[in-house]
Amino acid sequence: MSPLDHKQPPAGRAAMREAAGLEARGVTAPPVLRGQDGEGSVQVHQDPSMKIEGAQVFSVYGKGGIGKSTTSSNLSAAFASQGKRVLQIGCDPKHDSTFTLTGRLQPTVIDILKDVDFHAEELRPEDFVTEGWGGVQCIEAGGPPAGTGCGGYVVGQTVKLLKQHHMLEDTDVVIFDVLGDVVCGGFAAPLQHADRAVIVTANDFDSIYAMNRIIAAVQAKSNNYKVRLAGCIANRSKDTDEVDRFCDTVGFQRIAHMPDYDAIRRSRLKKKTLFEMPDEDDIVAARQEYLRLAETLWRGTEPLTPAPLPDRDIFELLGFD
């Protein structure tokens, strides 16, 4: 038995022997995918030509409804106010990631592609990109209807369009705002492009539980891609004690704290980022935190390698007597 066979489970060894047999008969064998993208994954590796180069790329994850789109848009606005050329990509069928930057919901890449029967060569950048506040380039990738298709395909098609139109060549920062706390292969696709993953959380059990799962997903991707964890943002939380306790336990780091300011809720209702709102005390304070976070991310964060907890351990850590 070869050393490689010894390391493979039975199913993996059988697949490799089948591939070897096909090659001996002159037939191109399908790739052996197990373990390439996280143990047990059946994803195909990213096409090298689709790599995003020249820009710093961040993927924003977190529990559904935790404020990822608000965080992403205000972070984009912060980068833009610091002179960076920013592109934000919403990866949610709701296509509401960028509406505070543009003041409206814009059509999704997948819907626009359907309109031209998926003949991407017929599209121009202005068909799927809207300029938002501060010059931020806004794209809504969208997603397949519920229960059908794969979000990874949509992300891939969006990046392909951007590459075809050379839109990434004049970009300093790319922010992927990713749907909910889904960490399946499809919606983990932005991690194939990202330099750093940022997790938005609140100071409560459900948010931290989701963060623990997302950490595991990012760690799996980091085995084969450049993505690393930057840290977490405590959002809409007066206190950060539970978040900090979790971070201390697993070796993670909180890199920002956004209190539960009503001004942030009002900005969403007005379809604006905080950078367009009046200079009230809480708005100014929130802006400063986003500016500080943008500067921290731009300078570069140390790659974190936390050890996510088993489900039972995280229940015990966060209390439940």
Side-chain angles (χ1 to χ4, degrees):
M1 179 181 293
S2 72
L4 187 58
D5 274 343
H6 180 71
K7 293 179 181 179
Q8 293 288 331
R13 294 197 298 271
M16 294 181 70
R17 284 194 291 269
E18 179 183 0
L22 288 170
E23 289 172 1
R25 298 195 299 273
V27 179
T28 301
V32 179
L33 298 173
R34 182 174 178 81
Q36 290 186 356
D37 204 33
E39 185 64 17
S41 172
V42 294
Q43 288 191 82
V44 177
H45 264 218
Q46 174 184 292
D47 181 344
S49 68
M50 289 298 103
K51 288 183 179 179
I52 297 176
E53 298 174 330
Q56 292 200 44
V57 184
F58 305 99
S59 286
V60 180
Y61 282 84
K63 177 181 176 295
I66 201 62
K68 293 179 301 301
S69 293
T70 300
T71 298
S72 297
S73 295
N74 281 296
L75 184 56
S76 288
F79 275 122
S81 70
Q82 293 171 343
K84 306 299 187 294
R85 298 167 299 179
V86 186
L87 189 152
Q88 181 171 323
I89 303 173
C91 305
D92 190 325
K94 296 198 308 294
H95 61 105
D96 63 346
S97 172
T98 60
F99 86 96
T100 56
L101 287 161
T102 64
R104 64 182 178 86
L105 289 176
Q106 61 185 96
T108 69
V109 167
I110 199 68
D111 287 337
I112 293 167
L113 283 170
K114 286 178 183 176
D115 288 342
V116 296
D117 199 23
F118 290 89
H119 291 291
E121 69 277 4
E122 296 182 14
L123 297 179
R124 301 165 299 173
E126 53 266 33
D127 292 327
F128 58 92
V129 181
T130 302
E131 184 171 311
W133 186 90
V136 176
Q137 301 298 301
C138 300
I139 299 174
E140 294 288 349
T148 67
C150 176
Y153 168 80
V154 180
V155 171
Q157 289 300 304
T158 299
V159 173
K160 185 176 180 180
L161 276 172
L162 292 170
K163 297 277 282 191
Q164 287 173 344
H165 291 279
H166 307 285
M167 293 200 61
L168 296 168
E169 296 171 9
D170 297 319
T171 301
D172 299 313
V173 175
V174 177
I175 295 178
F176 284 97
D177 173 19
V178 189
L179 169 67
D181 49 349
V182 180
V183 292
C184 71
F187 280 102
L191 296 174
Q192 297 176 4
H193 302 284
D195 297 294
R196 290 289 184 267
V198 178
I199 304 175
V200 182
T201 185
N203 197 49
D204 60 47
F205 173 80
D206 288 342
S207 303
I208 297 172
Y209 184 87
M211 175 163 62
N212 188 63
R213 289 293 185 92
I214 294 165
I215 286 173
V218 177
Q219 299 287 58
K221 284 287 185 183
S222 70
N223 290 330
N224 297 290
Y225 299 96
K226 62 182 178 178
V227 65
R228 298 294 183 269
L229 286 154
C232 66
I233 301 167
N235 192 47
R236 298 194 305 209
S237 300
K238 177 182 178 182
D239 301 311
T240 64
D241 54 329
E242 297 296 328
V243 172
D244 294 338
R245 191 149 61 97
F246 170 81
C247 289
D248 290 343
T249 301
V250 303
F252 203 36
Q253 184 175 349
R254 175 172 56 83
I255 56 175
H257 174 212
M258 195 60 58
D260 191 12
Y261 291 139
D262 187 63
I264 298 176
R265 181 190 64 83
R266 296 200 311 273
S267 73
R268 293 282 292 180
L269 293 174
K270 292 181 179 293
K271 303 184 183 70
K272 295 180 178 181
T273 67
L274 292 168
F275 290 79
E276 299 173 82
M277 297 287 284
D279 291 338
E280 300 171 8
D281 289 346
D282 52 355
I283 292 175
V284 171
R287 278 188 213 144
Q288 289 303 314
E289 183 68 347
Y290 279 116
L291 288 166
R292 187 194 63 77
L293 174 60
E295 186 175 345
T296 296
L297 292 172
W298 179 256
R299 288 200 312 263
T301 59
E302 289 296 321
L304 300 176
T305 55
L309 296 173
D311 290 349
R312 183 182 297 276
D313 291 354
I314 197 167
F315 270 85
E316 293 178 358
L317 173 70
L318 298 177
F320 294 96
D321 296 330

